[in-house]
Amino acid sequence: MRPVLRDARFDLVALGEPLLEFNQTRAGAEQFLQGFGGDTSNCIIAASRLGAATAYVTRLGDDAFGRKFLGLWEREHVDISGVRTDPDAPTGIYFVTHGDAGHEFSYLRAGSAASRMRPADLPLEVIRDAKVLHVSGISQAISASACDSVFAALDAARQSGARISYDPNLRLKLWPLARAKAVIVATLPMTDWFLPSLDEAALLSGVSEANAILDWCHAGGAPVVALKMGSDGVWVSSQNVRVHISGHRVNAIDATGAGDCFDGAFAARIVAGDDAVAAARYANAAAALATTGYGAVDPLPTHADVAAFLKRSKK
Ligand code: KDG
């Protein structure tokens, strides 16, 4: 039997690829605002803003964009002792454009520094010092060696007693559904908290109704699932509980990174002692606030923001 969350230097360590973000100012506009993205980086910054002790594991290019990220994580109090610089490959970037169907991502990341992550280079001392390790399907999709690195990190974290948080973040521009499904399904039994969105879980499972999706996740080996439904809230399910938490009405401007904010907030509250339902209630509010500004990182809320919002929403 694995021990309960133990003492460790970091509440949350995330592993994956940061992407410099260029976000269209409105549908059809030619102007793009520079910001920061990359699902696991968004998640770790969200957790840090909410008071968790955090560290990030990745590789950056030795370039201006990589240096921007180092400055960002320093400002956001994210430990970077697990960040390596690759002299031979660039930091990845992506563009966010907006249209009637919501936002669309276009990537310039093939051959990026993070995609050259290899198990042999992992900073295991950082990963072993985590209470929770967070990884995503994007971390696995960017290359075969990154995928191997995720599995090696999961092994190391589990052996040291860390809990595993996993967001499939299905991006079909990065890998075909059949391969994504094979890898994600193989990862499910290694997780403690599986955090998919409704759309991606429906694609992975082949069923569309929330209860059927949750059953599919548990049958695949995920003990606790938070099924993110955007403005329709979230379902939380385990062997003992299945509850729906309603969404919040906010003036949503850009949903980029809202799911990552949920993940970071969820982990921050779990290590603070919440159970999965309480953590999801909090994360649901944090994610709603994350949609009220442009970009993946700028609108991420602080604990004071979330507490005030939850108080207002009770009235
Ligand atoms: O969840 C938002 C992320 O998807 C975005 O920041 C970019 O990491 C990204 C990706 O790979 O799509």
Side-chain angles (χ1 to χ4, degrees), residues 90-310:
T91 305
I93 67 176
Y94 79 123
F95 297 85
V96 188
T97 46
H98 300 272
D100 292 343
H103 60 243
E104 185 185 345
F105 298 150
S106 302
Y107 300 120
L108 280 181
R109 69 193 315 177
S112 68
S115 73
R116 287 153 51 107
M117 220 183 292
R118 298 179 315 169
D121 304 329
L122 281 176
L124 290 178
E125 68 291 353
V126 176
I127 290 164
R128 291 195 182 115
D129 227 346
K131 290 182 187 164
V132 176
L133 174 70
H134 176 80
V135 295
S136 79
I138 295 176
S139 319
Q140 295 168 309
I142 53 177
S143 72
S145 69
C147 189
D148 294 346
S149 303
V150 169
F151 282 117
L154 291 176
D155 274 348
R158 283 167 60 86
Q159 275 172 29
S160 69
R163 294 292 187 263
I164 308 295
S165 152
Y166 180 51
D167 186 332
N169 257 340
L170 184 63
R171 300 283 184 270
L172 294 176
K173 284 189 175 175
L174 298 180
W175 53 356
L177 182 58
R179 194 184 325 142
K181 185 171 169 176
V183 171
I184 291 166
V185 166
T187 311
L188 281 189
M190 307 176 85
T191 67
D192 292 277
W193 302 287
F194 182 48
L195 311 170
S197 71
L198 179 69
D199 292 355
E200 64 198 6
L203 276 174
L204 289 166
S205 63
V207 291
S208 53
E209 193 269 322
N211 277 298
I213 290 175
L214 293 167
D215 291 343
W216 177 85
C217 297
H218 292 313
V224 180
V225 184
L227 181 63
K228 297 175 276 187
M229 323 255 297
S231 57
D232 290 329
V234 57
W235 277 95
V236 183
S237 177
S238 69
Q239 220 180 7
N240 311 319
V241 74
R242 184 165 292 186
V243 291
H244 177 254
I245 298 164
S246 302
H248 292 276
R249 278 181 192 279
V250 289
N251 182 19
I253 292 175
D254 178 12
T256 309
D260 310 329
C261 174
F262 181 99
D263 301 348
F266 184 83
R269 289 314 306 168
I270 290 279
V271 293
D274 281 2
D275 63 25
V277 175
R281 204 176 292 286
Y282 182 98
N284 184 43
L289 288 175
T291 68
T292 59
Y294 263 111
V297 167
D298 272 358
L300 291 173
T302 62
H303 175 65
D305 297 332
V306 181
F309 180 67
L310 279 169

